[in-house]
Amino acid sequence: MSKAFTAFALCLTLFSTMPAFAASADERAQAAIDTRQGLLKVVVSYFGPIVGMAREQIPYDADVVKNNAEKVALLLPMIPDVFRNDTREFALETEALDDIWENMDDFTAKSKTATERALALAAATADGQEAAMKAFGALGAGCKGCHDNYRQQN
Amino acid sequence: MSKAFTAFALCLTLFSTMPAFAASADERAQAAIDTRQGLLKVVVSYFGPIVGMAREQIPYDADVVKNNAEKVALLLPMIPDVFRNDTREFALETEALDDIWENMDDFTAKSKTATERALALAAATADGQEAAMKAFGALGAGCKGCHDNYRQQN
C-alpha cells in the first residue's frame, strides 16, 4: 500500500474537502440527501428535451430521444445505490419518505421497471414519433409509480 | 400527437414543477448549475468507498472498486452534457470557470480520458490491490487535470 500511496495522493487531496467525507453524521446524511437529489436532477435534465417535444414546444428529434432515454437507463439503476444511506433518523429537509427504507426491495424493483421502460423508449424511437411518445408515457408512469409511494406529495 | 397525449399527461405533471422548466433565464441557469453539481456529487459518492480503501479506513474490496469504477465510467461521459448550458453570463454562485465554454473540446476530451481511466481501474481489480490502487491514482490525476483547469481553486 505505501508504495502505491503517492500515486493516489493527488486523488485524496481532490476529495478531502468534499461532503461525503464530512466529519459529523448530520453532514454525511446531508451529503447523502444532496447526492440523491443530484442524481434525480441529472435524470430530469435528460427528460427535459423529451418533455419539450411532448408539449410540442420543440420539434420531435428521434436521435435526442434515443440518446437521452439511454442516458436515463444508465442513471435509474443508480437510484437504489444513492438511497442506500438511510437518513430516517435525521431531522433534515427531504421529500424522501421513510417507506423507502421499509420497502427497499420494492423501491429497487420500481427503479428496475423504470429502467426497462427507458430502454423501451430508446428502442421505440425506431418506430416513429407516436410509438416513442407512447413509450415515453409508460416511462413517465413508471416514474410516477415510485414518486406516488416514496416521495412526499406537495 | 393528440391521441398519444393522454399517455404522457402523467409524465408532464410529474415534471411541470421542476426547475428545468423554470420560467426565468436565471432560474434555468441555476437549475443547470444544480444539475452539474448533482452529477459530480454522484461521482463522488461512488469514489467515496475507494478513497476509504486507499486511506486504509475500510478493507479493500475488489468487487466494490470494480462496480463503483464502472458506475463512474457511465457518469463521466455525461459531464459535457450537463455543462452544455453556458452560464457565463449569469451572476450565480459557481466554481465552474469560463474556460469550460471557451475550450469545450478540451473539456470534453478530459472527461473522455477520465472515463478511460475509470474503465482501466475496473479492469485493474483483476490484477490485485496494488494494481487497482495505482489505476485509481491515475484516475484521480485525470479528475485533477480537469479541476486544475476548469474549476475555481479554493
Side-chain angles (χ1 to χ4, degrees):
Chain A
M1 282 297 294
S2 62
K3 196 176 174 185
F5 195 81
T6 45
F8 50 68
L10 283 176
C11 190
L12 301 186
T13 309
L14 263 186
F15 294 105
S16 60
T17 58
M18 304 201 92
F21 306 103
S24 79
D26 258 20
E27 284 170 326
R28 284 194 301 275
Q30 185 60 57
I33 292 170
D34 293 344
T35 298
R36 62 204 194 201
Q37 290 179 350
L39 177 64
L40 273 305
K41 278 172 184 151
V42 182
V43 172
V44 168
S45 77
Y46 284 113
F47 263 107
I50 314 179
V51 174
M53 293 175 207
R55 288 178 173 167
E56 300 184 332
Q57 291 169 336
I58 56 172
Y60 176 75
D61 184 326
D63 291 340
V64 171
V65 175
K66 182 172 187 291
N67 174 68
N68 287 20
E70 285 169 351
K71 293 288 169 63
V72 168
L74 298 178
L75 294 164
L76 295 179
M78 299 182 191
I79 291 178
D81 289 347
V82 298
F83 277 90
R84 195 174 296 159
N85 196 325
D86 180 350
T87 56
R88 277 177 291 183
E89 301 297 316
F90 296 88
L92 297 168
E93 195 177 324
T94 172
E95 293 177 340
L97 299 180
D98 289 358
D99 288 347
I100 291 170
W101 294 278
E102 288 154 16
N103 304 285
M104 189 49 88
D105 286 351
D106 179 63
F107 183 73
T108 301
K110 280 182 165 53
S111 80
K112 200 173 171 187
T113 298
T115 302
E116 286 160 5
R117 290 182 185 184
L119 292 172
L121 169 57
T125 56
D127 301 324
Q129 181 175 355
E130 195 168 343
M133 287 298 150
K134 195 176 164 188
F136 182 49
L139 172 55
C143 299
K144 189 173 183 296
C146 205
H147 288 202
D148 283 350
N149 285 283
Y150 297 116
R151 184 184 178 186
Q152 194 179 303
Q153 306 301 308
N154 294 314
Chain B
M1 282 297 292
S2 62
K3 198 177 172 185
F5 195 80
T6 45
F8 48 71
L10 283 176
C11 191
L12 301 184
T13 308
L14 264 184
F15 294 105
S16 60
T17 58
M18 304 201 92
F21 306 103
S24 80
D26 258 20
E27 284 171 325
R28 284 194 301 274
Q30 186 60 57
I33 292 169
D34 293 344
T35 298
R36 62 205 194 201
Q37 291 180 349
L39 177 64
L40 273 306
K41 279 174 185 152
V42 182
V43 172
V44 168
S45 77
Y46 284 113
F47 263 107
I50 314 180
V51 173
M53 293 175 207
R55 288 177 173 169
E56 300 183 335
Q57 292 169 332
I58 56 173
Y60 176 73
D61 184 326
D63 291 339
V64 171
V65 175
K66 183 173 187 288
N67 174 68
N68 287 20
E70 285 169 351
K71 293 288 170 62
V72 167
L74 298 178
L75 293 163
L76 295 178
M78 300 182 192
I79 290 178
D81 289 347
V82 298
F83 277 90
R84 194 174 297 159
N85 196 325
D86 180 350
T87 56
R88 277 177 292 184
E89 301 296 318
F90 296 88
L92 297 168
E93 196 178 323
T94 173
E95 293 178 339
L97 298 180
D98 288 359
D99 288 347
I100 291 170
W101 295 278
E102 287 153 16
N103 303 285
M104 189 49 86
D105 286 352
D106 178 62
F107 184 74
T108 301
K110 281 183 164 52
S111 80
K112 201 174 170 184
T113 299
T115 301
E116 287 161 3
R117 291 182 184 185
L119 291 172
L121 168 56
T125 56
D127 302 322
Q129 182 174 354
E130 195 169 343
M133 286 298 151
K134 194 176 167 192
F136 182 49
L139 172 56
C143 298
K144 189 173 183 297
C146 204
H147 288 202
D148 283 350
N149 285 284
Y150 297 116
R151 185 184 177 184
Q152 192 179 304
Q153 306 299 309
N154 293 315

